[in-house]
Amino acid sequence: MQLVVARVGRAHGIKGEVTVEVRTDEPELRLGSGAVLLTDPASAGPLTIETGRVHSGRLLLRFAGVRDRNAAEALRNTLLIAEVDPDQQPEDPDEYYDHQLMDLDVVTKDGTEVGRITEISHLPSQDLFVVERPDGTEVLIPFVEEIVTEIDLEEQRAVIDPPPGLIDDQAEIDSSRDTENASAKDDEDSSGADA
């Protein structure tokens, strides 16, 4: 099975190094020296990692055969793809590979169907599930412990405990209307008391 583990960013310096946007929880395993990665577009690779280092909080890689800034810049936006055994599991039992989470049914704690995971979006601050609802609309669910309370791979489902307004826009609208109505009623009551 193939997994996207990084995206090449801009060139760094003049000796062929590139910044990378890491898309794996195991960069030391997937992006270590000597790793051979497939690419998208395929014409850019395969690429063999020669060296890697962290500079100002960013991972920098140098690939075999990429010796100058122009060659490094030509790789910009290339996806780096690792070949992974589909039965392999992350070391941490609370971590999952994207392919394990794709197509899971998403339900609330009370069993209400929300939809199906169609994509996992990796943002700098957190990961998000892109969930397609039965009506075809999409909702974004932050993949954090407070909201995603259970991942059951055997049952092929993710259980969530969403805060008000996350999956039901109406709840937020209703609560703001209730607040407005209560304020208006308080205003009427206080103006009636003065009369």
Side-chain angles (χ1 to χ4, degrees):
M1 167 170 282
Q2 296 180 343
L3 296 177
V4 174
V5 293
R7 183 180 65 82
V8 177
R10 64 180 185 266
H12 179 82
I14 60 171
K15 296 183 179 178
E17 283 186 311
V18 295
T19 61
V20 293
E21 173 190 314
V22 177
R23 295 189 179 177
T24 175
D25 290 334
E26 301 171 312
E28 61 288 338
L29 175 66
R30 307 281 178 221
L31 300 171
S33 294
V36 178
L37 302 168
L38 301 175
T39 60
D40 181 9
S43 59
L47 294 171
T48 301
I49 297 175
E50 202 168 80
T51 63
R53 66 186 178 101
V54 176
H55 175 73
S56 298
R58 300 232 27 170
L59 179 61
L60 302 178
L61 296 179
R62 179 176 299 144
F63 301 105
V66 178
R67 294 284 172 241
D68 62 32
R69 185 175 185 85
N70 290 339
E73 193 61 39
L75 294 173
R76 192 173 193 162
N77 293 322
T78 298
L79 296 178
L80 302 177
I81 302 166
E83 195 67 48
V84 177
D85 179 349
D87 296 327
Q88 184 179 354
Q89 301 288 322
E91 289 180 18
D92 185 336
D94 291 329
E95 290 182 1
Y96 303 91
Y97 292 130
D98 287 3
H99 73 273
Q100 294 175 296
L101 302 170
M102 291 296 291
D103 294 323
L104 291 185
D105 293 323
V106 178
V107 298
T108 60
K109 286 172 69 173
D110 65 7
T112 304
E113 179 186 5
V114 177
R116 182 179 56 84
I117 299 173
T118 58
E119 184 182 338
I120 291 90
S121 180
H122 300 280
L123 303 177
S125 58
Q126 67 189 13
D127 295 337
L128 293 173
F129 290 158
V130 179
V131 178
E132 183 178 318
R133 296 176 184 232
D135 66 5
T137 61
E138 289 183 340
V139 62
L140 300 177
I141 309 287
F143 186 22
V144 293
E145 192 175 341
E146 298 79 28
I147 296 173
V148 181
T149 60
E150 179 186 355
I151 298 288
D152 188 335
L153 296 178
E154 282 188 24
E155 294 292 323
Q156 286 290 289
R157 71 177 184 181
V159 179
I160 64 170
D161 185 14
L166 181 64
I167 61 171
D168 183 8
D169 297 337
Q170 194 60 39
E172 198 170 276
I173 294 167
D174 286 346
S175 66
S176 66
R177 281 189 191 140
D178 291 345
T179 305
E180 287 173 14
N181 290 341
S183 296
K185 184 166 176 23
D186 288 344
D187 290 344
E188 286 174 16
D189 290 344
S190 62
S191 65
D194 291 343

